[in-house]
Amino acid sequence: MKRRLTGTLLATALSLPFAAQAEAPKAGTPITAETLVAQAEMIRIADALDAAVDAKDWTLARSFFTDMIDVDFTSLVGGDPATIPADALIAGWSANLTAEKASFHLRGNHRVTFEDDGSATMHSHGYAWNRMERGALEENGGDAMWEVWGTYVHGFSQTEAGWMVNAMTFTATAERGNDFVRNTPGS
């Protein structure tokens, strides 16, 4: 039994790096005295954005974006990547994540790369959890939760107000739970 378990664990451990993502993660720009503050600010913005969404503070969430944003959530919702007003993105989030639907967003393993044009790109891993009690009803699927794991890519541009998010891509790598909770706006 012990030998079979060890073999199974080894096989699983060896396959995880290949199953989790198709391409190698970006290492990011090495941290230097010149990039340290900018990297810390971008990580702060991404984390604060998650906290604002979970607190349903849509004004604060909107403040982290440029007026127009390139978005790609096609791995979750289909369709095509698009450039949209940030106000439209926030309106969509606020319509789905109402007071009835609790959420928890978390990201980590941030890697920032600075571009020659003064912009930056941040890669990170992300997790999101949604809970809506109506989902637990038999007719709604019988489970109050939905959760997703994946990777984020945030584009940042330097503005007079500081670093702001001008692009956001989420690529789901796994999800589980009730699609009713995921797809149904709270009331």
Side-chain angles (χ1 to χ4, degrees):
M1 172 71 171
K2 183 178 177 184
R3 182 181 172 127
R4 185 173 41 181
L5 179 59
T6 302
T8 301
L9 290 174
L10 179 60
T12 301
L14 291 174
S15 68
L16 283 176
F18 302 104
Q21 50 192 30
E23 68 178 57
K26 306 289 184 209
T29 302
I31 295 174
T32 66
E34 292 79 29
T35 63
L36 182 63
V37 172
Q39 286 185 340
E41 179 61 2
M42 287 176 237
I43 292 168
R44 183 198 69 79
I45 289 169
D47 292 345
L49 176 59
D50 284 346
V53 168
D54 293 338
K56 297 167 183 25
D57 186 340
W58 304 115
T59 301
L60 180 60
R62 169 60 182 90
S63 74
F64 298 118
F65 293 104
T66 56
D67 288 339
M68 297 298 289
I69 179 169
D70 297 329
V71 295
D72 183 352
F73 297 108
T74 56
S75 71
L76 283 177
V77 297
D80 295 310
T83 301
I84 63 171
D87 291 337
L89 176 66
I90 297 300
W93 286 351
S94 65
N96 185 274
L97 295 173
T98 62
E100 180 187 18
K101 189 183 286 189
S103 67
F104 174 78
H105 291 80
L106 181 68
R107 71 185 80 215
N109 196 18
H110 306 287
R111 294 154 332 269
V112 176
T113 302
F114 291 90
E115 309 299 337
D116 291 337
D117 66 1
S119 65
T121 304
M122 184 173 71
H123 293 257
S124 57
H125 296 288
Y127 168 77
W129 169 93
N130 287 200
R131 181 175 181 85
M132 187 166 61
E133 290 305 318
R134 274 192 298 142
L137 299 174
E138 181 83 26
E139 64 268 22
N140 295 336
D143 186 354
M145 291 191 341
W146 174 79
E147 54 194 333
V148 63
W149 295 259
T151 58
Y152 281 100
V153 178
H154 286 80
F156 285 88
S157 60
Q158 185 69 270
T159 71
E160 289 182 13
W163 288 102
M164 297 186 83
V165 178
N166 63 6
M168 186 173 182
T169 297
F170 179 74
T171 304
T173 55
E175 65 179 279
R176 70 176 172 191
N178 188 347
D179 283 339
F180 176 87
V181 175
R182 172 189 162 190
N183 298 327
T184 303
S187 56

